[in-house]
Every structure is written in C-alpha cells, then in structure tokens.
Amino acid sequence: MTAVSTSAPVSPSHAARNRRLVTLLIYIVLILFALFYLLPVFLVLITSFKSTENVSLSRMWELPSTVSLQSFEVAFNELRSGLLNSVALVIPGTLFSSFLGSINGYVLSKWRFPGANIIFPLMLFGMFIPYQSILIPLAEFLRSVCVVPGTGGAACEMTLFGNLLGLILTHVVYGLPITTLIFRNYYMEVPDEMLEAGAIDGAGFFGLYRHIVLPISLPGFVVVIIWQFTQIWNEFLFSVTIAQNSPTVTVALQNLSGSQIVQWNVQMAAAFLAAIPTLLVYVLLGRYFIRGLLAGSIKG
C-alpha cells in the first residue's frame, strides 16, 4: 500500500511572488532599523541648524523655523586648534602604524622563523590591554624620554609627554596588534609561489615586499587606514592625558560642554564638524572596507 500526498504542487509564479513578498518585508524591517539608528544623527543636524532661542527640550524634534549657520561658526572657532592638532596626529599615526603592521604581517605570514607562533599571539595580546591599566606607567615612561636636551643647567627641555609626538608614538604602538593581524590574514592568501619566483629572480626580503607584496596590498591598507583613522581620531583618554599642551578635537569637544550655560546648537554643530573627517573616510573608502576585512577569512 503506497502513501498518497495530498499537498498541491506550488507553481513557479506563486513561489516567485512569495520570494518577492519576503524580500519586501526584509527591506521594510531594514529601513525601519536604519531610521531608528539614524534618529540621533537627525537630532544633531536639526539642532545644529537652529538658533539658540529656538533650542528647547519641548521643541527638540521640530525642524528649524529658520536655518542658522551661526552655531557652526562658533563651533569651528572653538574647535579650530583641536582639529589642526587631530589632523597632525592622525596622519602620521595612521601611516606609521599601517606601514609597520604591513611589514609585521609580511614577516609573520611569509617568513618562517623559530618562535613565530609565540610572538604572534603575544602581539595580539596587546589588543586586549585596556587603556586605563597602562596609563600611569605609560605617562611616566614618556616623561622619562628626553627629546630635546636642556640648556643652561636644565635637565631636559622637551620630553615625549605633554605633546603630540608622544601621542603619535602611543597610537602607533597600540595600533600594531590589530594592523599586524589584518595584514597577516591578508598576506596568507598570497601564493608562496609568487614570492619564490621573485626570490629566483634575485629579490631579497625588502625586494619581495616592495615589488610583489606591496603592490597588491591596497585592500589591506584601506581596512587598516579606516580602522586606525577612526580609532585615533575619536580617542579621548590618551589625548587628554598625554597631549595636555596640544588638545585634540575630542578634548576640545569635551571642553565645549564645560561651561555653566550649555549651548546645545553649538555642541551639536561641533559634534557634526568633529565627525565629518571619519564620515568622509568611510564614504570614500568604504567600498573596499568589507572586501579587505574578509580577505584571509575564507580558505579556498
């Protein structure tokens, strides 16, 4: 005795209609989540374009009756030195940590040496050390390193503490674990035969890196640059502690909220101005970010 199925076959047109309906529902849910996620950004923008008289808690969600750019002018004047200091910090900090991470990734992925399997996990351990736990010894170390010797009996005229130089060095060292990890995973996908062919042609350690590895490293560099740029630009604790004489944009933004009378439109405009550089980096380089981030994660 054989069992007879009572379910009717689903027609191709009906299945296609179901798939379109599911896709539409997914898009609706994603759009709702995106709108909810962007609510703070919307609030920042509409508040920054309001005049001081039009800013109140009861009217916070209302659109500005008249668009005013006065808050941006005041915020830019307050943040100008901080923005310049952050630019002077983030460019060398990002470039040096990216380049050194690339060299480390190249060595750890393509050059086998005794102890490599121990050194790499130890380097990754640096990613999990919280800033607060090393802040005091780091400050003491930077204060002990003399950059400019003193004259006229003074012991030292300038150390690494209290200026951007020490802060750049801190971010370079602190960024090495994550940049090394990203580049190592990326270079693991590079066939060894390419380097062996280069070695046969007479290229050495730096020759292989310069002529073979570096030209194909653009996706990895994009990921690292976006990551390091965002981390260094938005970092506050090291900036307020180490570079006390050269406040960065995050410190200047915090100082804006220190007065007794809070000008919310100025603070929102300042927050928007401080976020523009990182937004530009993501907009210009974002399409390479996921591609480079996933490089090395799938073994073919």
Side-chain angles (χ1 to χ4, degrees):
M1 184 175 182
T2 58
V4 178
S5 175
T6 57
S7 60
V10 180
S11 64
S13 60
H14 185 70
R17 188 165 58 250
N18 287 340
R19 284 196 298 270
R20 286 196 296 270
L21 181 60
V22 171
T23 303
L24 179 63
L25 290 176
I26 291 175
Y27 273 99
I28 291 175
V29 171
L30 291 178
I31 290 173
L32 290 177
F33 274 113
L35 292 176
F36 180 75
Y37 184 79
L38 291 174
L39 274 180
V41 180
F42 173 73
L43 184 61
V44 167
L45 284 177
I46 63 173
T47 306
S48 61
F49 284 108
K50 292 179 180 177
S51 60
T52 306
E53 296 78 16
N54 291 329
V55 176
S56 65
L57 189 60
S58 60
R59 302 169 58 186
M60 60 184 297
W61 293 107
E62 294 181 4
L63 294 175
S65 55
T66 57
V67 177
S68 172
L69 299 178
Q70 183 182 4
S71 57
F72 283 94
E73 183 180 355
V74 176
F76 181 75
N77 290 331
E78 294 289 338
L79 294 183
R80 180 182 301 169
S81 61
L83 286 169
L84 294 176
N85 288 333
S86 287
V87 171
L89 163 69
V90 75
I91 291 177
T94 301
L95 292 181
F96 279 120
S97 59
S98 301
F99 177 72
L100 292 176
S102 174
I103 293 289
N104 288 343
Y106 165 58
V107 171
L108 292 171
S109 61
K110 296 302 176 186
W111 292 82
R112 307 287 186 259
F113 59 93
N117 294 331
I118 299 176
I119 292 176
F120 181 56
L122 288 177
M123 293 186 67
L124 297 185
F125 183 70
M127 288 194 302
F128 306 103
I129 299 176
Y131 288 5
Q132 295 84 352
S133 64
I134 65 164
L135 195 58
I136 294 177
L138 175 64
E140 292 299 323
F141 170 75
L142 294 177
R143 189 179 282 112
S144 66
V145 178
C146 183
V147 179
V148 180
T151 56
C156 185
E157 185 174 340
M158 175 182 171
T159 66
L160 287 177
F161 185 80
N163 52 62
L164 289 179
L165 189 59
L167 190 57
I168 292 172
L169 179 64
T170 301
H171 280 297
V172 170
V173 174
Y174 227 92
L176 280 181
I178 184 64
T179 57
T180 300
L181 173 64
I182 292 174
F183 275 113
R184 178 186 177 274
N185 290 344
Y186 182 77
Y187 292 148
M188 290 294 288
E189 293 296 305
V190 178
D192 294 338
E193 290 77 8
M194 291 178 62
L195 301 184
E196 292 171 1
I200 293 174
D201 290 338
F205 177 86
F206 289 106
L208 293 173
Y209 176 77
R210 178 184 175 186
H211 297 292
I212 297 179
V213 176
L214 189 59
I216 60 174
S217 301
L218 180 60
F221 270 102
V222 170
V223 174
V224 168
I225 287 174
I226 290 177
W227 181 273
Q228 280 296 93
F229 188 95
T230 306
Q231 294 295 316
I232 297 175
W233 186 272
N234 293 331
E235 197 279 329
F236 176 76
L237 184 60
F238 283 156
S239 301
V240 75
T241 306
I242 296 174
Q244 297 174 353
N245 300 326
S246 304
T248 60
V249 67
T250 52
V251 179
L253 193 60
Q254 170 63 25
N255 292 338
L256 270 178
S257 62
S259 60
Q260 295 181 351
I261 301 175
V262 180
Q263 293 180 298
W264 291 109
N265 56 337
V266 175
Q267 288 202 25
M268 297 298 178
F272 182 70
L273 289 176
I276 285 178
T278 51
L279 290 175
L280 287 177
V281 169
Y282 272 98
V283 169
L284 296 176
L285 303 177
R287 59 176 176 165
Y288 300 104
F289 185 70
I290 299 299
R291 187 192 312 170
L293 198 63
L294 294 178
S297 62
I298 301 174
K299 295 292 184 184

